[in-house]
Amino acid sequence: MDERKVRWGFLIDLRKCIGCQTCEVTCKMENGVHLGVWRSWVKKVEKGAYPRTTRGFLPLLCNNCEKPICVTVCPVNANQQRPDGIVTFNPHRCVGCRYCMASCPYEVRYLHPLKRIVEKCNWCHHRIDAGLRPACVEACPTGARVFGNLMDPDSEIRRLMAQHHVSVLQPEMGTQPQVYYIDYDEEVFATKRPFRWKWR
Amino acid sequence: MDAGVTKLLYDVHHQTTFAWLISIYFYFTGLSAGSFVVSTMSYGFGMKMYKPISRIAVITATMCLMIAPIALLMQVGWPIRSIWNHFAYLNFHSPMTYGAFLLVGYPVVCIFYALYMFRDNARMTKLLGSIGIPTAIATHGYTGFILAFGKARAYWNTALMPTLFLVSAIVSGLALMVLIVMIIFRFIKQERRVPADIVEGLAKILAWAIVVDLFLTFCDIAVLSISHEGAQEMAWLVLGGGFTPLFVGVENLIGKVLPMIVCFVPALRRNHLALAIACALVVIGIFFMRYVTVFGGQVLPLM
């Protein structure tokens, strides 16, 4: 039995997501994410043909897994898991070997183009520690993103998870991801960019 | 997924993580481990006929190991910081931590082993050779563990990977040694004559090593092709997709099957020009094995 008081979790209600990418822009502003890389983004997929057609959105961000593979493989302990579950990166210790990028099943890590270290979404832990919510949760115009304590039975995230079917991405990887989705569409996830051959 | 039903409008892809430089690094550690095995044949395993090439082999092993970490340090973002941090902050769950120690320890063993060999100190040479063999195997085997621990990638995440890497290291090292021995004895040494028994003996061992390598590759791909969805996509990529020319053509047909035939057929093996070409093909083919494994293993998008 988990004895922790706090385990942060993230819930995205895809019924409310309108694909406006406000979360993407807010994240860039809050964390100073470099040009050309993203910590959080919205995958957009068009489904069907003309009369019967729709768009599917899948906001993606770091899952801050319960069993993070990036923490296991980091040779210099730059990635560490806090007691409340958030996986942090240490910019002063990372050597830019990119092993964590290669092993992350969610491809949410990126190499900072100038600093040459690997960064990722950390659920704005500087804001959480100050008692605020993550920037993308704060900015979401439809309230699709919910952030809260999974150990607290009265929290909004626990209440929503108790009332709805929730899914996580790639549970078969065994990392126990902690970003939950309501109304998750497998087809949107399975539509991937085509493979292009590049000699590099 | 059927492209006519769904269409991707927007997604983010950052970069392909490991590419040429890591392939070169794996390739040279493999060559080094293979050459080291050849150099210990006479001292460690008692095959006295290979004594004349032990010195050439140990020099090759040391030289290859000097090139390998250069490629590695060019790959990492902070080379100087990485040298310090790998020893200052240890994470014993990561294979790369052990690699840092091996990459420092193995050259030292190599250099002292060479030193005693050149001084004709048989006892110390044998001692250091028996220390060096596990070190050489570990130095290359850990690279297989690095890939096997990248569990998101179906092509890497197999228990076969360290063994596959070791066998292909021995294959490439043997082929490189045959090639170098031929060049040195033909063009540099006084007698201007290739020692036929040594070269053909190595070729016979090479042929059997290639058989093992082909068998392991077959096991890997066969299991991959009926495993989960990502694994099947990967098997399709190397057997009938973008990587087929490199994987089937260069790596397996030109790099393994053709040289294996040359090494097995006595008439072809005695033709030293054919043997030299076969060994050059093996050395090229194993490079593409590294490239297909490292780069091909991660080109398929996961998200």
Side-chain angles (χ1 to χ4, degrees), chain A residues 36-99:
Chain A
V37 289
W38 288 264
R39 289 191 185 186
S40 165
W41 66 95
V42 184
K43 181 176 175 177
K44 295 184 178 181
V45 169
E46 204 168 66
K47 295 174 65 178
Y50 164 58
R52 277 174 285 280
T53 178
T54 183
R55 268 189 188 184
F57 307 117
L58 188 63
L60 295 165
L61 70 165
C62 177
N63 284 277
N64 286 277
C65 309
E66 194 58 41
K67 290 183 181 171
I69 182 70
C70 49
V71 174
T72 307
V73 301
C74 180
V76 295
N77 277 327
N79 300 312
Q80 275 174 345
Q81 193 176 28
R82 305 201 319 186
D84 59 8
I86 292 179
V87 178
T88 59
F89 62 88
N90 183 343
H92 304 292
R93 199 177 281 187
C94 176
V95 297
C97 74
R98 308 174 214 181
Y99 193 11

Side-chain angles (χ1 to χ4, degrees), chain B residues 72-154:
Chain B
L72 188 63
L73 289 177
M74 280 163 75
Q75 157 83 16
V76 303
W78 289 76
I80 307 296
R81 189 199 268 186
S82 84
I83 292 169
W84 169 250
N85 280 14
H86 268 103
F87 300 102
Y89 309 107
L90 302 174
N91 177 8
F92 291 106
H93 300 290
S94 171
M96 223 177 248
T97 306
Y98 300 96
F101 284 97
L102 288 168
L103 275 178
V104 174
Y106 175 46
V108 175
V109 174
C110 247
I111 287 166
F112 276 98
Y113 174 65
L115 182 75
Y116 284 114
M117 192 187 285
F118 277 81
R119 285 183 178 173
D120 279 327
N121 185 339
R123 215 176 119 260
M124 286 305 285
T125 313
K126 187 166 185 188
L127 178 71
L128 281 166
S130 46
I131 297 171
I133 279 283
T135 322
I137 286 175
T139 306
H140 195 64
Y142 105 89
T143 60
F145 274 108
I146 285 188
L147 293 189
F149 269 48
K151 71 172 173 184
R153 317 283 168 175

